[in-house]
């Protein structure tokens, strides 16, 4: 039979090529970059440069229609490309403009391109898929009273969109979110265009990040929201997203954020991103989360002292999430074992801020100075060597020792090298690793430089020891007894 259509001939040749390639390759399998805590997270062989994510929302009972496009660079020859993706259905995939075979292996989406990918060449991947907010107890989409929000930490971004879901591979993001009439969509970064009308009264909202971001920090809010604008230090745009019905009640809290930013800048330097704000959702999550430029908070945190938490505590938690914009978002952990650098610093500045509000004598979690007695860590493993979370409890990685125990390391460091050297360490850390990844050894090296001596022998027991070492300058201090660690928050 003569094929008269060039397009039809090309399509059939591409399909035949995919079939032949797939026939000679071994069965697909999930891959990972070898993270100690998440061994199948991330994928080798390529570096993602940017994501373009289009989402169409109908309601909380229906999967979102989605198209995810990755611009990447191959780091090695690739016959297959693995992406992290689960909890959605794939309709089609393309690699460099040609149809690609797609299969699932574990929580990986495995693509077989029509032609092998050479090393050091551009790689463009487009996947048409659904993103299902139902059954999201394991992270990803969070269902709110009026829509959705994202909570992707630690490894749940791939429950929302295909990605290289490890913080070591940061990339720029563009979000295009289409929502029904009466809904507002907000995402990380700045608006990339004015909201555009779509059929049936729908509206598409577009946002772009100006700095690279880890997938676990992505945020998309969909709801009947009010978006409130104000100005922070040096003209920084501050944008808050709250349920429209709650805007007046929440305003006293929202107006505090510019002061919080100024307070942090006095201690560690200029805020690292294009804007900031808080996203307050009507949802019960059990945590607050430092999604980049737009931190997620439970509405219940702001219920007022009679019904919830005292004002000083709420402010301190707001500063905790803000501090993460420097520590965890701008400077991202190279591996999940480096998590102590995120949570220890955020806890440290939370404590300093609370102390400034005069709460030292109140009943609260003591953050920067340890309670006493026994030094054992039987119930609290070393901060820089956390064990993996139990199956089905991935959020269990965020144990109390990752917060209080890590802040204690910073306290010990300050006592050992002095306040002036410690402050230089903090400022250099966020300046030299801005928009990048860094790990524990990088921090030890930098601290040693500022101290003028090798601090490895001093810091190693604090980071990895089975018992809490003696506190410099405080020989009578010791860590909490096993089983008496202060309660922590997953933030």
């Amino acid at each position: 039979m003569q094929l008269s259509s060039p397009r039809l001939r090309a399509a059939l040749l591409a399909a035949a090529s995919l079939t032949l390639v797939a026939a000679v390759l071994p069965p697909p399998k999930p891959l990972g970059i070898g993270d100690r805590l998440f061994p199948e997270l991330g994928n080798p062989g390529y570096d993602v440069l940017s994501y373009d994510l289009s989402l169409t929302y109908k309601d909380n009972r229906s999967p979102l229609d989605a198209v995810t496009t990755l611009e990447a660079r191959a780091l090695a020859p690739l016959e297959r490309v693995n992406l992290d993706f689960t909890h959605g259905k794939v309709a089609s995939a393309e690699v460099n403009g040609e149809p690609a075979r797609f299969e699932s292996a574990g929580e990986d989406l495995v693509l077989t391109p029509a032609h092998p990918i050479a090393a050091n060449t551009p790689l463009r991947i487009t996947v048409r898929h659904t993103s299902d907010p139902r059954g999201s107890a394991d992270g990803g989409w969070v269902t709110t009273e009026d829509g959705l929000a994202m909570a992707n930490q630690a490894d749940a971004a791939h429950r929302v969109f295909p990605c290289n879901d490890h913080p070591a591979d940061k990339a720029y993001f563009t979000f295009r979110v289409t929502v029904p009439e009466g809904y507002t969509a907000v995402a990380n970064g700045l608006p990339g265009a004015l909201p555009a009308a779509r059929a049936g009264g729908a509206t598409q909202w577009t946002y772009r990040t100006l700095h690279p971001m880890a997938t676990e920090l992505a945020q998309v809010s969909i709801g009947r929201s009010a978006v409130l604008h104000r100005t922070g230090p040096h003209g920084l745009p501050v944008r808050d997203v709250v349920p429209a019905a709650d805007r007046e009640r929440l305003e006293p809290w929202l107006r505090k954020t510019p002061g919080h930013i100024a307070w942090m800048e006095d201690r560690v330097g200029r805020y690292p991103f294009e804007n900031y704000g808080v996203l307050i959702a009507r949802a019960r999550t059990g945590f607050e989360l430092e999604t980049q430029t737009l931190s997620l908070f439970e509405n219940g945190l702001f219920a007022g002292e009679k019904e919830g938490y005292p004002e000083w505590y709420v402010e301190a938690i707001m500063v905790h999430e803000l501090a993460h914009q420097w520590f965890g978002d701008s400077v991202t952990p190279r591996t999940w074992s480096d998590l102590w650098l995120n949570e220890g610093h955020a806890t440290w500045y939370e404590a300093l801020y609370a102390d400034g509000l005069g709460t030292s004598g109140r009943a609260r979690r003591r953050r920067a100075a340890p309670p006493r007695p026994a030094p054992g860590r039987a119930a609290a493993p070393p901060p820089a060597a956390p064990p993996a979370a139990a199956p089905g409890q991935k959020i269990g990685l965020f144990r109390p020792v990752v917060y209080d125990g890590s802040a204690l390391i910073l306290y010990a460091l300050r006592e050992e090298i002095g306040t002036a050297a410690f402050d230089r360490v903090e400022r250099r850390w966020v300046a030299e690793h801005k928009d990048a990844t860094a790990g524990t050894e990088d921090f030890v090296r930098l601290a040693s430089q500022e101290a003028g001596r090798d601090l490895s022998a001093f810091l190693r027991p604090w980071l990895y020891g089975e018992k809490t070492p003696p506190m410099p300058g405080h020989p009578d201090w010791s860590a909490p007894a096993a089983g008496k660690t202060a309660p922590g928050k997953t933030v």
Side-chain angles (χ1 to χ4, degrees):
M1 180 178 65
Q2 182 68 33
L3 298 176
S4 58
S5 166
R7 180 175 297 180
L8 178 58
R9 287 200 301 271
L12 291 174
L13 286 171
S17 175
L18 284 173
T19 301
L20 288 171
V21 169
V24 299
L25 291 176
K29 62 180 181 179
L31 300 177
I33 61 171
D35 190 285
R36 184 179 67 84
L37 299 177
F38 296 96
E40 292 186 354
L41 203 63
N43 298 283
Y46 62 93
D47 173 29
V48 180
L49 306 176
S50 68
Y51 293 92
D52 190 308
L53 179 58
S54 295
L55 297 163
T56 300
Y57 171 82
K58 307 175 195 66
D59 54 55
N60 283 5
R61 302 178 303 278
S62 307
L64 290 78
D65 294 326
V67 180
T68 297
T69 298
L70 296 77
E71 299 283 353
R73 187 162 191 84
L75 303 177
L78 296 171
E79 293 184 315
R80 282 183 170 141
V81 180
N82 280 49
L83 300 171
D84 298 305
F85 184 56
T86 188
H87 207 64
K89 295 182 179 180
V90 176
S92 66
E94 294 179 0
V95 175
N96 290 341
E98 296 186 272
R101 181 186 179 96
F102 56 90
E103 304 167 86
S104 291
E107 293 193 354
D108 277 14
L109 172 65
V110 184
L111 307 182
T112 304
H115 309 285
I117 308 299
N120 301 312
T121 59
L123 180 61
R124 179 182 175 88
I125 299 171
T126 299
V127 182
R128 289 170 175 80
H129 60 97
T130 62
S131 184
D132 199 337
R134 300 169 299 179
S136 56
D138 208 16
W141 288 115
V142 172
T143 301
T144 68
E145 288 185 12
D146 61 344
L148 297 173
M150 278 189 198
N152 294 333
Q153 199 176 77
D155 67 334
H158 69 282
R159 293 177 62 87
V160 178
F161 60 99
C163 57
N164 202 22
D165 198 7
H166 191 279
D169 193 1
K170 299 169 71 166
Y172 293 88
F173 278 74
T174 297
F175 300 91
R176 310 172 199 275
V177 188
T178 301
V179 295
E181 184 175 5
Y183 285 79
T184 298
V186 184
N188 313 85
L190 295 172
L194 293 175
R198 291 289 185 266
T203 303
Q204 184 182 75
W205 305 73
T206 303
Y207 299 88
R208 292 189 176 93
T209 66
L210 302 187
H211 297 263
M213 180 169 69
T215 52
E216 50 118 356
L217 301 173
Q219 181 58 265
V220 172
S221 165
I222 299 170
R224 299 185 182 277
S225 308
V227 182
L228 309 178
H229 299 273
R230 66 195 81 230
T231 302
H234 48 78
L236 178 74
V238 177
R239 168 198 62 172
D240 300 310
V241 183
V242 302
D246 298 332
R247 60 183 298 172
E248 291 186 12
R249 178 178 65 82
L250 294 170
E251 175 59 27
W253 296 108
L254 303 176
R255 70 168 67 110
K256 296 176 183 290
T257 295
H260 295 163
I261 297 171
W263 185 89
M264 279 296 303
E265 288 192 339
D266 285 344
R267 283 150 184 82
V268 297
R270 188 94 166 216
Y271 177 77
F273 296 123
E274 58 268 29
N275 61 349
Y276 184 66
V278 302
L279 164 61
I280 300 178
R282 285 189 170 184
R284 292 182 178 273
T285 61
F287 57 82
E288 329 304 326
L289 186 62
E290 65 272 15
T291 40
Q292 189 164 308
T293 73
L294 189 62
S295 294
L296 173 65
F297 293 87
E298 291 180 291
N299 190 48
L301 181 67
F302 304 92
E305 189 162 357
K306 289 184 179 180
E307 301 179 31
Y309 302 98
E311 182 174 342
W312 68 264
Y313 178 83
V314 176
E315 279 204 64
I317 295 300
M318 293 174 72
V319 169
H320 181 114
E321 302 311 325
L322 172 62
H324 271 307
Q325 303 300 310
W326 285 265
F327 301 96
D329 294 12
S330 179
V331 185
T332 303
R334 184 169 293 122
T335 74
W336 278 109
S337 296
D338 300 314
L339 176 66
W340 78 272
L341 286 162
N342 299 18
E343 298 301 346
H345 278 99
T347 301
W348 174 260
Y349 290 104
E350 173 195 338
L352 291 182
Y353 191 85
D355 286 343
L357 295 177
T359 63
S360 295
R362 301 184 186 184
R364 68 174 178 87
R365 293 179 295 167
R366 291 183 59 84
R367 294 291 200 174
R372 312 167 190 185
R377 274 181 174 167
Q393 300 179 13
K394 296 176 184 179
I395 211 166
L397 177 64
F398 297 86
R399 298 172 174 87
V401 70
V402 171
Y403 298 86
D404 298 313
S406 301
L408 198 61
I409 296 171
L410 300 177
Y411 187 93
L413 176 62
R414 191 180 70 174
E415 293 295 286
E416 178 72 11
I417 68 176
T419 299
F422 178 83
D423 290 346
R424 292 195 302 271
V425 169
E426 296 295 273
R427 288 178 176 272
R428 277 190 61 190
W429 179 252
V430 297
E432 294 182 12
H433 298 289
K434 181 179 179 180
D435 289 340
T437 61
T440 299
E441 293 306 313
D442 299 310
F443 188 80
V444 173
R445 186 180 308 111
L446 190 152
S448 298
Q449 291 171 1
E450 287 300 333
R453 57 190 171 89
D454 188 355
L455 292 174
S456 300
F458 170 74
L459 284 172
R460 185 161 295 278
W462 284 97
L463 293 163
Y464 302 108
E466 294 183 3
K467 294 184 177 180
T468 304
M471 177 63 68
H474 302 278
D476 58 322
W477 284 10
S478 59
K484 295 184 179 180
T485 306
K489 285 182 68 64
T490 303
V491 290

